[in-house]
Amino acid sequence: MRDRTRAAKKAAAAKKAAAAKKAAVAKKISHTDDNPITFRGRKLNVKTILMLQSAERRLGERLVITQGSFNSTVQASAGTHDGGGVFDVSVRAGGARTQRKVRVLRRAGFAAWHRLPTDFKPELRVPEHIHAVSLFDHDLSTGAGSQKRDYLAEPRLNGLLNRAHDNGPKVPVPANPTLVKQTVRRREILFMQTNDSVGYLQDVLGLTPDKFFGPAETQRFMKEQFGWNGRKPMSEGLFRRLFPVSVFELDATIDPGVAAAVPRQRTTTAGQPTRV
């Protein structure tokens, strides 16, 4: 009986410590909302990146970001991207796949909408895309804050100037953001077979943004600098040299409820930065 009590106390203490660690991580991340970093060639804050990665993990693919946060250069965006917590995602083809992306982004804690060219004035030439606004960012612009309120309204609205009813997937608003770090696995660092390879090398090593820098240039760089042409999986030695433990191990204390499958990147044609 005494052993069971001791074990129960130990388990409760461990659970409390894990919860405290998770809360500390979330608090630390919250203080970075106004601190942009470059991610896949776009400016985003840490919390938005971790929320995006959690969505990608559920989707099983990487999303192409066509416009990030902290960007006031696109007049058609009407200021919604001026602060943090906002990005646009390229849409190659509409339909069920796009609706699933919107649904998963909403589950991760974003007010996400599928935007069509017909939603805007023809002269703006806005391409089809997904617009996402974090529901948990402390540095949203005035315009993005208004869209957040539209999303939380009852009934839910579309976040556009016409304030029409939302026609997207019906997803409950989460109580907390879903935060996940990417993982990197040596057996998956292989050019032309695992599309993640190029993305990992770009994102983690900072070789180049995702814009127009393709696998051929990345492959040439790696061959010249490290003697690896990507035809065989990366050696253990080179892997450990390039990827520290903190990069390729999943930080389960952030959100242990998300599966650890590594998402795959789809090759898509990135659209121009657009109004939301």
Side-chain angles (χ1 to χ4, degrees), residues 1-208:
M1 183 66 180
R2 186 177 299 174
D3 290 341
R4 289 183 180 179
T5 302
R6 188 179 295 115
K9 288 183 177 179
K10 187 176 181 180
K15 185 176 180 180
K16 184 177 180 179
K21 186 176 181 180
K22 183 176 179 180
V25 171
K27 184 177 180 181
K28 183 178 180 181
I29 290 170
S30 294
H31 290 308
T32 65
D33 284 358
D34 59 350
N35 183 25
I37 62 175
T38 300
F39 178 77
R40 301 180 192 169
R42 312 296 180 188
K43 287 184 178 181
L44 297 170
N45 60 38
V46 174
K47 188 193 297 179
T48 303
I49 292 170
L50 296 179
M51 290 170 64
L52 168 62
Q53 289 180 330
S54 76
E56 289 179 329
R57 195 173 299 280
R58 283 196 170 100
L59 285 168
E61 64 180 82
R62 286 159 51 95
L63 300 176
V64 176
I65 305 171
T66 58
Q67 184 180 184
S69 306
F70 307 100
N71 180 25
S72 58
T73 63
V74 182
Q75 184 178 3
S77 292
T80 55
H81 288 254
D82 288 3
V86 182
F87 59 87
D88 289 343
V89 172
S90 173
V91 172
R92 189 174 184 180
R97 288 182 62 87
T98 297
Q99 287 300 298
R100 180 169 179 263
K101 291 176 183 178
V102 172
R103 181 180 297 106
V104 171
L105 284 168
R106 289 183 173 188
R107 285 183 60 190
F110 292 103
W113 294 280
H114 179 201
R115 302 301 198 206
L116 300 172
T118 53
D119 291 330
F120 309 93
K121 295 178 180 180
E123 58 268 25
L124 292 177
R125 297 182 179 180
V126 177
E128 186 176 0
H129 66 283
I130 295 172
H131 177 65
V133 177
S134 172
L135 299 175
F136 301 95
D137 200 282
H138 301 299
D139 195 44
L140 294 175
S141 68
T142 301
S146 176
Q147 291 182 321
K148 174 182 173 179
R149 288 190 293 274
D150 284 351
Y151 185 81
L152 297 176
E154 185 60 46
R156 185 172 289 171
L157 305 177
N158 65 1
L160 293 171
L161 294 177
N162 62 17
R163 306 198 74 222
H165 288 181
D166 172 60
N167 61 358
K170 307 301 181 185
V171 177
V173 176
N176 299 290
T178 305
L179 309 173
V180 165
K181 285 184 180 179
Q182 290 285 24
T183 59
V184 178
R185 297 172 182 170
R186 183 176 65 86
R187 64 179 179 272
E188 291 165 334
I189 306 298
L190 185 67
F191 283 114
M192 309 309 294
Q193 292 189 20
T194 303
N195 289 332
D196 285 294
S197 300
V198 177
Y200 284 143
L201 293 172
Q202 289 174 351
D203 292 347
V204 179
L205 300 181
L207 297 181
T208 178

